[in-house]
Structures are given as structure tokens and as C-alpha cells.
Amino acid sequence: MNRRRVIFLGPPGSGKGTQARKIAEKSSLLPISSGETLRREIREQSEVGRLAANFVESGLLVPDDIITGVMIAGIKKLPSGTGFILDGFPRTVPQADALQGGLAAMSMSIDAVVDFELDDAEIVKRIVNRRVCTKCEEPYNLESRPPKVAGVCDICGGALTQRVDDREDVIMTRLGAYRAQTAPLVAHFARQGLLCSVRANRPAHEVEADILAILESPTSK
Ligand SMILES: [Zn+2]
């Protein structure tokens, strides 16, 4: 891989989390999810983890500098020279600036930003079809991965349900917030020549092949 420090950017339902795991299996890059890293730093009570815990426990949004500190701490824990895929971070331009500043201080830089393009109508269609088993939490999708018997889990026979977060009105609110927040971020990375767009409304293996081609392409630096 020529591009080894990578950000995956995409709306909820774009498949970027799944792709981050798939690409990691086929490369030496490690996926770093913002949610998992935050939970780990809090659990391990690291300096930045304790700072973040104050906000999480009061139900407040973790400020940009602290969440960036958490992610930098996660990156520092990787064996020297390990490439990574950031998933779910940065979400704002200040976070991106802080991340890139922190990496520069370690003589590192971001090599590519993969932007998962998917229009709102397609996202809504994907998410409203999500179902999950109430017993074993196995995920289903009425269109792409339906259960053998309607409403029943293939694995454990439990009843399938729709998460409250997956209702159309909730999705539209989340998408609006996402678009407002990330539009400036997309422009920020485009200005730096790092933005690589992938059309995400295709079968997963085609999206994956496009991402691998991006990671194997030479860097401009
Ligand atoms: Zn089940």
C-alpha cells in the first residue's frame, strides 16, 4: 500500500465501517474507530481518557481537542510504522486541523481521505430496511439480507425488530446534521489534494476494489 494513513468519511449507512474492516483484513492497515478508541481510553483511565470521561458521564459532547487527544493516543499505541484507517473521526474541520497538527508533530501525515458518496434517498432506503434480532442482535436487511422466515432470526429464532434510530424521521435528522458538519470537511481535504471519492451505491466488492486501487495509487508527495 502506498497510502497507509487514511481517513474514511461517509454518512451513516454508507458501509464505511464494514469496508474499514474488510480493507484491514486484506492489508496491513488497522481500523481505528472513534467510538471504540474513546471507550478504551476511558476504560484504561489514561490522562486523556479521564478528561473525556467527565463529558461522557455528564452526557455532554466531548470537545474537539479532547476527542483529538483520544485519537492521537490511539495512534501512538500502534506499533511503529503501522498504517491505519480512521473511521468516524475527524467529523469537523477543527478536529481535522488538530489531528493533522498532532500527526505532523510525530512526523506523520494523512495520505488519503476516502469519501463514501451516497445520496440521501439511497441512505434512507438502506437504513429503514435494517432489522435486528431482539435476542442475539444479529443484523438483517429486508432488501440485501432478509431472514429466511419474515420477522424471525435465522440463527436463534428470536423476533426481529427495527431500532428507533433506524426510523425515517430520525435518519433524516441525523443526515441533515451530518451534511452540515461534513461539507466544510470535504472541501478542506479537497483543497489539500487528499480527497478520493468512491461511489458507495454499488455491490460491496466493487466498492472495496475501488478503495484498494486508491490505497495502492502513488501519493502526490
Ligand atoms: Zn437471533
Side-chain angles (χ1 to χ4, degrees):
M1 295 288 161
N2 287 311
R3 298 175 186 247
R4 306 178 36 79
R5 300 186 193 102
V6 185
I7 293 169
F8 277 12
L9 201 62
S14 61
K16 74 182 162 58
T18 308
Q19 288 292 345
R21 287 190 296 276
K22 282 191 177 188
I23 299 290
E25 281 168 20
K26 296 204 172 164
S27 67
S28 55
L29 309 186
L30 290 179
I32 304 185
S33 122
S34 56
E36 281 166 28
T37 308
L38 180 62
R39 285 191 290 276
R40 193 189 59 217
E41 291 299 315
I42 291 176
R43 198 172 57 238
E44 293 177 356
Q45 300 191 356
S46 68
E47 195 180 335
V48 74
R50 284 201 301 270
L51 284 174
N54 293 331
F55 292 90
V56 172
E57 282 158 13
S58 345
L60 298 169
L61 215 61
V62 183
D64 282 341
D65 56 335
I66 297 182
I67 190 71
T68 305
V70 163
M71 296 305 284
I72 297 274
I75 292 168
K76 276 187 179 159
K77 281 182 186 154
L78 299 175
S80 167
T82 310
F84 53 79
I85 300 169
L86 297 180
D87 170 22
F89 176 89
R91 287 184 199 271
T92 64
V93 172
Q95 286 180 5
D97 281 334
L99 168 72
Q100 291 177 291
L103 288 177
M106 296 187 281
S107 306
M108 291 188 212
S109 59
I110 294 297
D111 300 322
V113 177
V114 179
D115 183 31
F116 288 66
E117 288 184 339
L118 201 59
D119 41 7
D120 290 0
E122 177 72 21
I123 293 166
V124 169
K125 199 173 83 184
R126 283 186 181 196
I127 299 183
V128 295
N129 282 321
R130 283 182 186 168
R131 295 293 182 274
V132 62
C133 174
T134 49
K135 269 194 193 166
C136 73
E137 295 187 11
E138 181 71 12
Y140 291 87
N141 189 295
L142 299 185
E143 207 156 87
S144 57
R145 197 198 164 211
K148 293 195 183 81
V149 179
V152 181
C153 177
D154 293 350
I155 296 168
C156 76
L160 302 189
T161 186
Q162 184 179 34
R163 288 200 172 107
V164 179
D165 279 0
D166 291 347
R167 288 199 327 241
E168 184 162 352
D169 54 331
V170 180
I171 301 163
M172 290 312 290
T173 307
R174 273 164 69 202
L175 269 179
Y178 173 82
R179 300 285 185 206
Q181 210 172 43
T182 48
L185 195 56
V186 169
H188 169 87
F189 290 128
R191 270 195 306 275
Q192 297 180 344
L194 291 173
L195 196 71
C196 308
S197 297
V198 167
R199 285 185 302 113
N201 62 338
R202 294 172 304 143
H205 68 271
E206 290 180 21
V207 177
E208 186 185 329
D210 275 12
I211 298 171
L212 287 170
I214 289 169
L215 301 184
E216 275 157 14
S217 68
T219 56
S220 46
K221 276 161 275 174

